[in-house]
Amino acid sequence: MVLFRKQKGSCLSERIVQLTIIHGNNDSGDMPGKVFSLQCGNNYIGRDSNCEVILQSGTVSRKHGNLHVSYDKKKTTIQDLGSANGIIIPPSSVLRNGKKTLKSGDQFQVGEILFKLLAIDQDDDLKTMTVDVQELLKKQPEEKNI
């Protein structure tokens, strides 16, 4: 199998997509509350150091699964990559060598690690903007000396 990756930073959206560990394993370092930021394209989950979501738990395969985030960040698909345990999607679904579309708020389990997927739309008012200081200074009325 050959997998191609699109260049990072080529997303068409300012939407933030995150994966948070809900239930983990403190002994392996996969602790609850740990957050992974997902980029558009493929985000591999596993123990392999080349994965975007690196886990240490022995219940996770080297390349366990793939979270594919669309380039407009509006669609996320999870795929099992032939792992030993599959990917559990609550309440009772086990994904083996297949794909499933996820939405914001969905949970899934890789080995013993339970994740929650969140997609957050950024409010335009909260985005950082560039300001030309010289233009600002020109617009201010000159102060009179008293």
mmCIF file of all heavy atoms in Angstrom, residues 40-73:
data_model
loop_
_atom_site.group_PDB
_atom_site.id
_atom_site.type_symbol
_atom_site.label_atom_id
_atom_site.label_comp_id
_atom_site.label_asym_id
_atom_site.label_seq_id
_atom_site.Cartn_x
_atom_site.Cartn_y
_atom_site.Cartn_z
ATOM 1 N N CYS A 40 -5.027 18.957 8.045
ATOM 2 C CA CYS A 40 -5.794 18.352 6.952
ATOM 3 C C CYS A 40 -4.931 17.282 6.294
ATOM 4 O O CYS A 40 -3.722 17.323 6.338
ATOM 5 C CB CYS A 40 -6.248 19.355 5.922
ATOM 6 S SG CYS A 40 -5.502 20.921 5.891
ATOM 7 N N GLY A 41 -5.601 16.299 5.753
ATOM 8 C CA GLY A 41 -4.915 15.152 5.173
ATOM 9 C C GLY A 41 -4.863 14.009 6.170
ATOM 10 O O GLY A 41 -5.711 13.896 7.053
ATOM 11 N N ASN A 42 -3.844 13.175 6.041
ATOM 12 C CA ASN A 42 -3.721 11.981 6.874
ATOM 13 C C ASN A 42 -3.050 12.286 8.205
ATOM 14 O O ASN A 42 -2.037 12.981 8.251
ATOM 15 C CB ASN A 42 -2.923 10.910 6.135
ATOM 16 C CG ASN A 42 -3.652 10.413 4.917
ATOM 17 O OD1 ASN A 42 -4.854 10.178 4.970
ATOM 18 N ND2 ASN A 42 -2.956 10.263 3.809
ATOM 19 N N ASN A 43 -3.615 11.749 9.273
ATOM 20 C CA ASN A 43 -3.064 11.846 10.624
ATOM 21 C C ASN A 43 -3.019 10.426 11.177
ATOM 22 O O ASN A 43 -4.039 9.898 11.622
ATOM 23 C CB ASN A 43 -3.956 12.722 11.507
ATOM 24 C CG ASN A 43 -4.008 14.163 11.046
ATOM 25 O OD1 ASN A 43 -3.176 14.965 11.434
ATOM 26 N ND2 ASN A 43 -4.972 14.482 10.202
ATOM 27 N N TYR A 44 -1.847 9.797 11.106
ATOM 28 C CA TYR A 44 -1.708 8.404 11.523
ATOM 29 C C TYR A 44 -1.634 8.298 13.033
ATOM 30 O O TYR A 44 -1.027 9.125 13.706
ATOM 31 C CB TYR A 44 -0.476 7.773 10.869
ATOM 32 C CG TYR A 44 -0.649 7.660 9.381
ATOM 33 C CD1 TYR A 44 -0.095 8.600 8.529
ATOM 34 C CD2 TYR A 44 -1.427 6.639 8.841
ATOM 35 C CE1 TYR A 44 -0.281 8.516 7.163
ATOM 36 C CE2 TYR A 44 -1.624 6.547 7.473
ATOM 37 C CZ TYR A 44 -1.052 7.484 6.643
ATOM 38 O OH TYR A 44 -1.256 7.402 5.290
ATOM 39 N N ILE A 45 -2.272 7.243 13.564
ATOM 40 C CA ILE A 45 -2.305 6.961 14.995
ATOM 41 C C ILE A 45 -1.563 5.653 15.225
ATOM 42 O O ILE A 45 -1.856 4.649 14.569
ATOM 43 C CB ILE A 45 -3.756 6.790 15.495
ATOM 44 C CG1 ILE A 45 -4.588 8.036 15.186
ATOM 45 C CG2 ILE A 45 -3.787 6.477 16.981
ATOM 46 C CD1 ILE A 45 -6.075 7.846 15.408
ATOM 47 N N GLY A 46 -0.608 5.652 16.158
ATOM 48 C CA GLY A 46 0.099 4.417 16.466
ATOM 49 C C GLY A 46 1.322 4.650 17.324
ATOM 50 O O GLY A 46 1.579 5.759 17.789
ATOM 51 N N ARG A 47 2.098 3.588 17.507
ATOM 52 C CA ARG A 47 3.322 3.654 18.315
ATOM 53 C C ARG A 47 4.527 4.112 17.502
ATOM 54 O O ARG A 47 5.546 4.506 18.060
ATOM 55 C CB ARG A 47 3.620 2.301 18.954
ATOM 56 C CG ARG A 47 2.672 1.930 20.071
ATOM 57 C CD ARG A 47 3.046 0.609 20.734
ATOM 58 N NE ARG A 47 2.805 -0.501 19.826
ATOM 59 C CZ ARG A 47 3.745 -1.328 19.361
ATOM 60 N NH1 ARG A 47 4.994 -1.196 19.734
ATOM 61 N NH2 ARG A 47 3.431 -2.301 18.537
ATOM 62 N N ASP A 48 4.432 4.047 16.174
ATOM 63 C CA ASP A 48 5.533 4.420 15.287
ATOM 64 C C ASP A 48 5.858 5.911 15.439
ATOM 65 O O ASP A 48 4.953 6.741 15.518
ATOM 66 C CB ASP A 48 5.147 4.114 13.838
ATOM 67 C CG ASP A 48 6.332 4.213 12.898
ATOM 68 O OD1 ASP A 48 6.743 5.352 12.620
ATOM 69 O OD2 ASP A 48 6.817 3.166 12.436
ATOM 70 N N SER A 49 7.145 6.256 15.458
ATOM 71 C CA SER A 49 7.555 7.654 15.648
ATOM 72 C C SER A 49 7.189 8.541 14.458
ATOM 73 O O SER A 49 7.241 9.762 14.562
ATOM 74 C CB SER A 49 9.061 7.729 15.915
ATOM 75 O OG SER A 49 9.774 7.224 14.799
ATOM 76 N N ASN A 50 6.808 7.956 13.330
ATOM 77 C CA ASN A 50 6.391 8.738 12.165
ATOM 78 C C ASN A 50 4.907 9.087 12.188
ATOM 79 O O ASN A 50 4.437 9.793 11.295
ATOM 80 C CB ASN A 50 6.720 7.993 10.865
ATOM 81 C CG ASN A 50 8.213 7.913 10.637
ATOM 82 O OD1 ASN A 50 8.935 8.864 10.907
ATOM 83 N ND2 ASN A 50 8.676 6.775 10.171
ATOM 84 N N CYS A 51 4.185 8.606 13.175
ATOM 85 C CA CYS A 51 2.752 8.907 13.286
ATOM 86 C C CYS A 51 2.559 10.330 13.816
ATOM 87 O O CYS A 51 3.395 10.848 14.549
ATOM 88 C CB CYS A 51 2.066 7.917 14.230
ATOM 89 S SG CYS A 51 1.958 6.249 13.567
ATOM 90 N N GLU A 52 1.451 10.937 13.443
ATOM 91 C CA GLU A 52 1.110 12.261 13.968
ATOM 92 C C GLU A 52 0.573 12.165 15.388
ATOM 93 O O GLU A 52 0.780 13.065 16.195
ATOM 94 C CB GLU A 52 0.076 12.942 13.057
ATOM 95 C CG GLU A 52 0.630 13.517 11.778
ATOM 96 C CD GLU A 52 1.023 12.473 10.733
ATOM 97 O OE1 GLU A 52 0.566 11.322 10.796
ATOM 98 O OE2 GLU A 52 1.803 12.824 9.835
ATOM 99 N N VAL A 53 -0.144 11.089 15.693
ATOM 100 C CA VAL A 53 -0.663 10.845 17.045
ATOM 101 C C VAL A 53 0.103 9.634 17.573
ATOM 102 O O VAL A 53 -0.225 8.488 17.270
ATOM 103 C CB VAL A 53 -2.190 10.578 17.031
ATOM 104 C CG1 VAL A 53 -2.702 10.295 18.429
ATOM 105 C CG2 VAL A 53 -2.928 11.759 16.404
ATOM 106 N N ILE A 54 1.160 9.924 18.330
ATOM 107 C CA ILE A 54 2.042 8.859 18.831
ATOM 108 C C ILE A 54 1.578 8.436 20.222
ATOM 109 O O ILE A 54 1.443 9.266 21.122
ATOM 110 C CB ILE A 54 3.503 9.322 18.888
ATOM 111 C CG1 ILE A 54 3.976 9.730 17.491
ATOM 112 C CG2 ILE A 54 4.398 8.232 19.464
ATOM 113 C CD1 ILE A 54 5.337 10.394 17.465
ATOM 114 N N LEU A 55 1.329 7.132 20.370
ATOM 115 C CA LEU A 55 0.917 6.553 21.645
ATOM 116 C C LEU A 55 1.966 5.534 22.080
ATOM 117 O O LEU A 55 2.651 4.939 21.245
ATOM 118 C CB LEU A 55 -0.453 5.890 21.499
ATOM 119 C CG LEU A 55 -1.572 6.815 21.014
ATOM 120 C CD1 LEU A 55 -2.820 6.025 20.659
ATOM 121 C CD2 LEU A 55 -1.885 7.873 22.057
ATOM 122 N N GLN A 56 2.084 5.321 23.373
ATOM 123 C CA GLN A 56 3.083 4.393 23.915
ATOM 124 C C GLN A 56 2.504 3.064 24.378
ATOM 125 O O GLN A 56 3.239 2.127 24.630
ATOM 126 C CB GLN A 56 3.813 5.062 25.091
ATOM 127 C CG GLN A 56 4.460 6.391 24.739
ATOM 128 C CD GLN A 56 5.474 6.291 23.624
ATOM 129 O OE1 GLN A 56 6.239 5.339 23.551
ATOM 130 N NE2 GLN A 56 5.479 7.278 22.738
ATOM 131 N N SER A 57 1.201 2.983 24.486
ATOM 132 C CA SER A 57 0.548 1.795 25.028
ATOM 133 C C SER A 57 0.835 0.561 24.173
ATOM 134 O O SER A 57 0.765 0.617 22.942
ATOM 135 C CB SER A 57 -0.965 2.022 25.107
ATOM 136 O OG SER A 57 -1.613 0.814 25.450
ATOM 137 N N GLY A 58 1.091 -0.543 24.820
ATOM 138 C CA GLY A 58 1.328 -1.803 24.130
ATOM 139 C C GLY A 58 0.089 -2.369 23.456
ATOM 140 O O GLY A 58 0.172 -3.298 22.660
ATOM 141 N N THR A 59 -1.083 -1.814 23.759
ATOM 142 C CA THR A 59 -2.332 -2.281 23.135
ATOM 143 C C THR A 59 -2.581 -1.587 21.792
ATOM 144 O O THR A 59 -3.580 -1.860 21.137
ATOM 145 C CB THR A 59 -3.541 -2.031 24.058
ATOM 146 O OG1 THR A 59 -3.677 -0.625 24.283
ATOM 147 C CG2 THR A 59 -3.374 -2.763 25.386
ATOM 148 N N VAL A 60 -1.675 -0.702 21.404
ATOM 149 C CA VAL A 60 -1.790 0.048 20.149
ATOM 150 C C VAL A 60 -0.759 -0.488 19.161
ATOM 151 O O VAL A 60 0.403 -0.692 19.507
ATOM 152 C CB VAL A 60 -1.557 1.558 20.408
ATOM 153 C CG1 VAL A 60 -1.578 2.350 19.117
ATOM 154 C CG2 VAL A 60 -2.582 2.100 21.393
ATOM 155 N N SER A 61 -1.188 -0.709 17.917
ATOM 156 C CA SER A 61 -0.272 -1.185 16.864
ATOM 157 C C SER A 61 0.658 -0.057 16.422
ATOM 158 O O SER A 61 0.395 1.112 16.678
ATOM 159 C CB SER A 61 -1.074 -1.683 15.656
ATOM 160 O OG SER A 61 -1.897 -2.761 16.014
ATOM 161 N N ARG A 62 1.729 -0.431 15.719
ATOM 162 C CA ARG A 62 2.684 0.572 15.227
ATOM 163 C C ARG A 62 1.989 1.615 14.362
ATOM 164 O O ARG A 62 2.202 2.805 14.512
ATOM 165 C CB ARG A 62 3.803 -0.083 14.429
ATOM 166 C CG ARG A 62 4.786 -0.853 15.295
ATOM 167 C CD ARG A 62 5.713 -1.646 14.414
ATOM 168 N NE ARG A 62 7.112 -1.636 14.603
ATOM 169 C CZ ARG A 62 7.923 -0.678 15.013
ATOM 170 N NH1 ARG A 62 7.455 0.466 15.317
ATOM 171 N NH2 ARG A 62 9.196 -0.836 15.132
ATOM 172 N N LYS A 63 1.200 1.186 13.414
ATOM 173 C CA LYS A 63 0.338 2.074 12.617
ATOM 174 C C LYS A 63 -1.061 1.510 12.748
ATOM 175 O O LYS A 63 -1.482 0.686 11.958
ATOM 176 C CB LYS A 63 0.790 2.135 11.165
ATOM 177 C CG LYS A 63 1.890 3.132 10.939
ATOM 178 C CD LYS A 63 1.882 3.663 9.544
ATOM 179 C CE LYS A 63 2.908 4.769 9.456
ATOM 180 N NZ LYS A 63 3.208 5.136 8.098
ATOM 181 N N HIS A 64 -1.755 1.948 13.760
ATOM 182 C CA HIS A 64 -3.049 1.390 14.139
ATOM 183 C C HIS A 64 -4.168 1.899 13.237
ATOM 184 O O HIS A 64 -4.998 1.129 12.761
ATOM 185 C CB HIS A 64 -3.347 1.771 15.589
ATOM 186 C CG HIS A 64 -4.367 0.909 16.244
ATOM 187 N ND1 HIS A 64 -4.046 -0.046 17.179
ATOM 188 C CD2 HIS A 64 -5.705 0.845 16.102
ATOM 189 C CE1 HIS A 64 -5.142 -0.648 17.592
ATOM 190 N NE2 HIS A 64 -6.179 -0.125 16.945
ATOM 191 N N GLY A 65 -4.191 3.209 13.034
ATOM 192 C CA GLY A 65 -5.276 3.794 12.259
ATOM 193 C C GLY A 65 -4.879 5.108 11.626
ATOM 194 O O GLY A 65 -3.785 5.616 11.836
ATOM 195 N N ASN A 66 -5.802 5.645 10.843
ATOM 196 C CA ASN A 66 -5.595 6.916 10.168
ATOM 197 C C ASN A 66 -6.844 7.775 10.314
ATOM 198 O O ASN A 66 -7.952 7.308 10.061
ATOM 199 C CB ASN A 66 -5.291 6.689 8.684
ATOM 200 C CG ASN A 66 -5.120 7.984 7.919
ATOM 201 O OD1 ASN A 66 -4.640 8.970 8.461
ATOM 202 N ND2 ASN A 66 -5.513 7.990 6.666
ATOM 203 N N LEU A 67 -6.652 9.009 10.736
ATOM 204 C CA LEU A 67 -7.724 9.991 10.755
ATOM 205 C C LEU A 67 -7.480 10.915 9.566
ATOM 206 O O LEU A 67 -6.481 11.630 9.533
ATOM 207 C CB LEU A 67 -7.690 10.811 12.045
ATOM 208 C CG LEU A 67 -8.445 10.268 13.219
ATOM 209 C CD1 LEU A 67 -8.132 11.071 14.473
ATOM 210 C CD2 LEU A 67 -9.930 10.259 12.974
ATOM 211 N N HIS A 68 -8.370 10.868 8.601
ATOM 212 C CA HIS A 68 -8.220 11.736 7.433
ATOM 213 C C HIS A 68 -9.153 12.931 7.604
ATOM 214 O O HIS A 68 -10.363 12.780 7.724
ATOM 215 C CB HIS A 68 -8.553 10.992 6.132
ATOM 216 C CG HIS A 68 -8.379 11.865 4.935
ATOM 217 N ND1 HIS A 68 -7.156 12.067 4.362
ATOM 218 C CD2 HIS A 68 -9.262 12.616 4.241
ATOM 219 C CE1 HIS A 68 -7.289 12.900 3.348
ATOM 220 N NE2 HIS A 68 -8.569 13.255 3.262
ATOM 221 N N VAL A 69 -8.547 14.124 7.620
ATOM 222 C CA VAL A 69 -9.301 15.369 7.753
ATOM 223 C C VAL A 69 -9.352 16.014 6.373
ATOM 224 O O VAL A 69 -8.308 16.223 5.744
ATOM 225 C CB VAL A 69 -8.637 16.325 8.772
ATOM 226 C CG1 VAL A 69 -9.398 17.626 8.887
ATOM 227 C CG2 VAL A 69 -8.505 15.650 10.134
ATOM 228 N N SER A 70 -10.558 16.324 5.888
ATOM 229 C CA SER A 70 -10.703 16.932 4.564
ATOM 230 C C SER A 70 -10.036 18.308 4.552
ATOM 231 O O SER A 70 -9.808 18.914 5.596
ATOM 232 C CB SER A 70 -12.179 17.043 4.176
ATOM 233 O OG SER A 70 -12.835 17.952 5.029
ATOM 234 N N TYR A 71 -9.739 18.797 3.352
ATOM 235 C CA TYR A 71 -8.994 20.047 3.240
ATOM 236 C C TYR A 71 -9.812 21.276 3.612
ATOM 237 O O TYR A 71 -9.260 22.331 3.859
ATOM 238 C CB TYR A 71 -8.351 20.147 1.854
ATOM 239 C CG TYR A 71 -7.256 19.116 1.776
ATOM 240 C CD1 TYR A 71 -7.499 17.864 1.232
ATOM 241 C CD2 TYR A 71 -6.020 19.358 2.343
ATOM 242 C CE1 TYR A 71 -6.514 16.890 1.236
ATOM 243 C CE2 TYR A 71 -5.037 18.393 2.362
ATOM 244 C CZ TYR A 71 -5.297 17.161 1.797
ATOM 245 O OH TYR A 71 -4.328 16.205 1.822
ATOM 246 N N ASP A 72 -11.130 21.145 3.707
ATOM 247 C CA ASP A 72 -11.941 22.243 4.248
ATOM 248 C C ASP A 72 -12.225 22.005 5.735
ATOM 249 O O ASP A 72 -12.902 22.789 6.379
ATOM 250 C CB ASP A 72 -13.245 22.418 3.474
ATOM 251 C CG ASP A 72 -14.143 21.181 3.522
ATOM 252 O OD1 ASP A 72 -13.798 20.184 4.194
ATOM 253 O OD2 ASP A 72 -15.196 21.222 2.871
ATOM 254 N N LYS A 73 -11.681 20.895 6.274
ATOM 255 C CA LYS A 73 -11.790 20.490 7.680
ATOM 256 C C LYS A 73 -13.228 20.275 8.132
ATOM 257 O O LYS A 73 -13.549 20.398 9.305
ATOM 258 C CB LYS A 73 -11.087 21.492 8.598
ATOM 259 C CG LYS A 73 -9.581 21.489 8.454
ATOM 260 C CD LYS A 73 -8.941 22.355 9.500
ATOM 261 C CE LYS A 73 -7.437 22.262 9.451
ATOM 262 N NZ LYS A 73 -6.808 23.120 10.442
#
